[in-house]
Amino acid sequence: MNTTRLPTYFVSHGGGPWPYMDGEFRRNFNLLENSLHEMRADLGNAPRAILMVSGHWEEQGLAISSGDRPGMVYDYYGFPDYLYHIAYNAPGSPELAQRVQTLLRDNRMEARLDPTRGFDHGTFSIMKPLYPDEDMPVVQLSLDAKLDPEFHIRVGRALVPLRDEGVLIVGSGLSYHNLRAMRDASGEIPSREFDAWLQRTLFDFAPEARSERLIHWEKAPSARAAHPREDHLIPLMVALGAAEQENASLTYHQKDFFGNLTASSFRFGQPPNFQN
């Protein structure tokens, strides 16, 4: 068994099926793509599987993808036709799905196995740059549709043992997610204000206070302007909960995302190849 404790990540995953595109739209994600390549280099060969918590999968309660060959979920619109025929062909892991279910149940949280769930773009948009050979097993964990931040921090706490078992826990969302403001260019100040609060919360507060601030994230400057609905923020709670006592680091930061937006990704804990 892997004896290296892996860090956890919250990744701002970008828009739609961007890794499968080229041209101007794809260039919006150059910094994000570079950060994912650096993430892979930091991790080396330590992970044996990925547990992805995607902001694009919500259920009443929790669900875990348990198929051995997941299909695709084309959960975006307005893109060229060929992007509805792409495939990310990584294997699933029924064994890991059952392990996640057991850990959650041991902590009094029920989760059902879903053998039919495919990869949504919150998953494959990250995995394609990270593991282009499509050889890393991936299991997805849904959000609970109530989107309770405290509950999802507890979910992360239940999953801590996976970090010592070679499983990389990744929360996939966006630090800023207001689609209307993305289109009309009104998100510059709200995205900057919320990102500054998020960084201060993650970097400057002790673990208990940090978690408490995230539970009450709606009190942050521009909170609801940044997240009219918090589906893309809640994966952060799981990543934090699974490494609650560990320091946060900034792994991606961009002030001109789609022109004028601020977006960030974070790591909790140190990667295997970390050097003091």
Side-chain angles (χ1 to χ4, degrees), residues 8-225:
T8 70
Y9 289 82
F10 171 74
V11 177
S12 287
H13 62 230
W18 66 265
Y20 295 84
M21 303 174 70
D22 52 27
E24 183 178 355
F25 185 85
R26 171 66 178 266
R27 284 192 289 274
N28 283 293
F29 306 102
N30 285 347
L31 287 177
L32 174 60
E33 186 167 19
N34 289 341
S35 76
L36 293 170
H37 293 163
E38 292 171 1
M39 176 178 167
R40 172 69 186 273
D42 286 342
L43 290 166
N45 295 322
R48 67 172 181 86
I50 307 288
L51 178 65
M52 189 73 70
V53 185
S54 170
H56 285 272
W57 188 19
E58 298 176 33
E59 296 286 347
Q60 300 300 319
L62 298 171
I64 308 159
S65 67
S66 59
D68 58 357
R69 284 290 167 184
M72 298 288 285
V73 178
Y74 304 112
D75 54 345
Y76 42 82
Y77 60 91
F79 289 90
D81 181 70
Y82 78 93
L83 294 169
Y84 300 89
H85 302 280
I86 58 175
Y88 185 76
N89 292 312
S93 174
E95 177 186 9
L96 175 57
Q98 291 174 357
R99 173 68 172 143
V100 172
Q101 184 184 50
T102 296
L103 287 172
L104 291 169
R105 284 181 171 172
D106 287 347
N107 286 270
R108 299 182 180 180
M109 288 176 278
E110 286 299 319
R112 64 178 179 84
L113 299 180
D114 185 344
T116 66
R117 177 70 185 188
F119 296 139
D120 58 62
H121 88 257
T123 294
F124 66 73
S125 65
I126 293 175
M127 291 301 300
K128 183 66 173 176
L130 268 180
Y131 293 94
D133 294 335
E134 304 179 2
D135 54 356
M136 177 63 69
V138 183
V139 168
Q140 293 183 131
L141 173 63
S142 79
L143 303 179
D144 176 77
K146 294 178 182 177
L147 302 179
D148 178 353
E150 185 172 15
F151 172 79
H152 287 88
I153 289 174
R154 290 198 294 112
V155 169
R157 291 171 184 156
L159 300 176
V160 170
L162 296 177
R163 299 176 56 206
D164 297 319
E165 300 170 9
V167 178
L168 183 70
I169 300 171
V170 180
S172 172
L174 268 171
S175 60
Y176 173 84
H177 194 250
N178 183 330
L179 294 178
R180 178 176 295 180
M182 288 179 180
R183 297 186 189 104
D184 67 17
S186 65
E188 179 178 5
I189 292 175
S191 67
R192 186 173 67 234
E193 289 183 342
F194 187 76
D195 194 272
W197 176 88
L198 195 57
Q199 289 197 43
R200 182 165 181 261
T201 295
L202 296 180
F203 300 153
D204 295 347
F205 284 80
E208 184 177 346
R210 181 174 66 173
S211 296
E212 189 68 16
R213 281 171 66 89
L214 285 179
I215 288 169
H216 300 289
W217 69 272
E218 290 178 272
K219 297 179 180 179
S222 297
R224 279 299 176 189

